[in-house]
Amino acid sequence: MARRATLEFWYEFASTYSYLSAMRIERLAEAAGVELRWRPFLLGPIFATQGWTNSPFNLFPAKGRNMWRDLDREAARLGLPPVTRPNPFPQNSLSAARVATYGIDQGWLVPFSKAVFETSYAKGGSIAEPAAVGRILDGLGLDGTQILKAAASEANKSRLKVAGEEARSRGIYGAPSFLTEDGELFWGNDRLEQALAWAAGDRPDGLR
């Protein structure tokens, strides 16, 4: 059997559009015959290099208002529950990102990631405190206490930092981002289908 192409899915738990992608990417990737590599990371350090101390959706209010309305429309179109708006926004995603980084090589990464997004954007729950993240883990039948402890180790903290540095070095500036094996970068939930098509070898004439 031929090896399937791989697409890297770079996501940030505080990112509204990462939520939309996380909720649909598995189904679309399977249909396209593409393997997924889930890559959690933190956008804050990347935003800081651009001179931003907050989400651009907060820095530019008109953009933020339109984003929330667009998120409502897209969630309804995709059959997702009505969107809840975290307060404050964006939520602190550090603890969740550390846990996801620890879980990269384990079978619970994807269900955990989706549960974090659902807690934040579909259930109106907090993901900011380690205890909140622990409850999400417990709800998946995992040992939240043990995993939080492991995720807070210096080695795992360093691993998350390295992932952020890798993202920046590869040209990622926002989330969600999708990287193909040949280094093609697609940014935004509305580019997910194009990213999968490119990864699968279906490319516009003149672009190879």
Side-chain angles (χ1 to χ4, degrees):
M1 181 180 295
R3 187 185 69 86
R4 300 209 299 182
T6 299
L7 182 70
E8 295 181 32
F9 170 36
W10 289 79
Y11 60 100
E12 151 74 78
F13 287 118
S15 161
T16 53
Y17 288 107
S18 289
Y19 161 59
L20 295 180
S21 289
M23 293 300 105
R24 67 197 193 99
I25 193 170
E26 289 178 293
R27 171 178 54 82
L28 293 175
E30 182 62 30
V34 173
E35 295 285 349
L36 289 176
R37 186 180 177 200
W38 291 60
R39 302 295 307 272
F41 76 117
L42 293 172
L43 263 180
I46 292 176
F47 280 173
T49 65
Q50 299 170 356
W52 293 346
T53 58
N54 203 331
S55 165
F57 296 125
N58 291 339
L59 295 173
F60 307 102
K63 185 174 186 175
R65 287 191 296 271
N66 182 250
M67 178 276 291
W68 287 115
R69 183 57 178 167
D70 185 58
L71 198 70
D72 289 337
R73 291 192 303 255
E74 284 298 284
R77 185 179 68 85
L78 296 171
L80 298 173
V83 173
T84 60
R85 303 185 185 187
N87 185 21
F89 172 80
Q91 291 206 62
N92 186 329
S93 59
L94 177 60
S95 182
R98 284 177 177 171
V99 167
T101 299
Y102 174 72
I104 281 176
D105 300 322
Q106 304 188 44
W108 50 261
L109 171 63
V110 173
F112 169 75
S113 296
K114 293 171 71 173
V116 171
F117 280 121
E118 289 172 339
T119 297
S120 182
Y121 293 112
K123 299 178 181 178
S126 174
I127 64 168
E129 306 82 15
V133 176
R135 287 192 292 272
I136 294 172
L137 290 164
D138 291 340
L140 294 171
L142 301 168
D143 188 337
T145 300
Q146 185 277 327
I147 291 174
L148 283 171
K149 182 178 179 180
S153 70
E154 290 303 318
N156 193 64
K157 290 179 182 178
S158 177
R159 191 179 183 190
L160 176 59
K161 182 179 179 181
V162 168
E165 292 170 349
E166 179 189 350
R168 186 164 60 86
S169 71
R170 297 175 72 185
I172 291 175
Y173 53 89
S177 287
F178 313 98
L179 271 169
T180 64
E181 290 179 299
D182 60 351
E184 198 76 15
L185 173 64
F186 296 82
W187 169 60
N189 175 62
D190 58 346
R191 291 295 180 265
L192 172 53
E193 286 84 354
Q194 291 93 324
L196 287 166
W198 188 283
D202 181 10
R203 304 170 186 181
D205 291 339
L207 289 177
R208 301 298 177 194

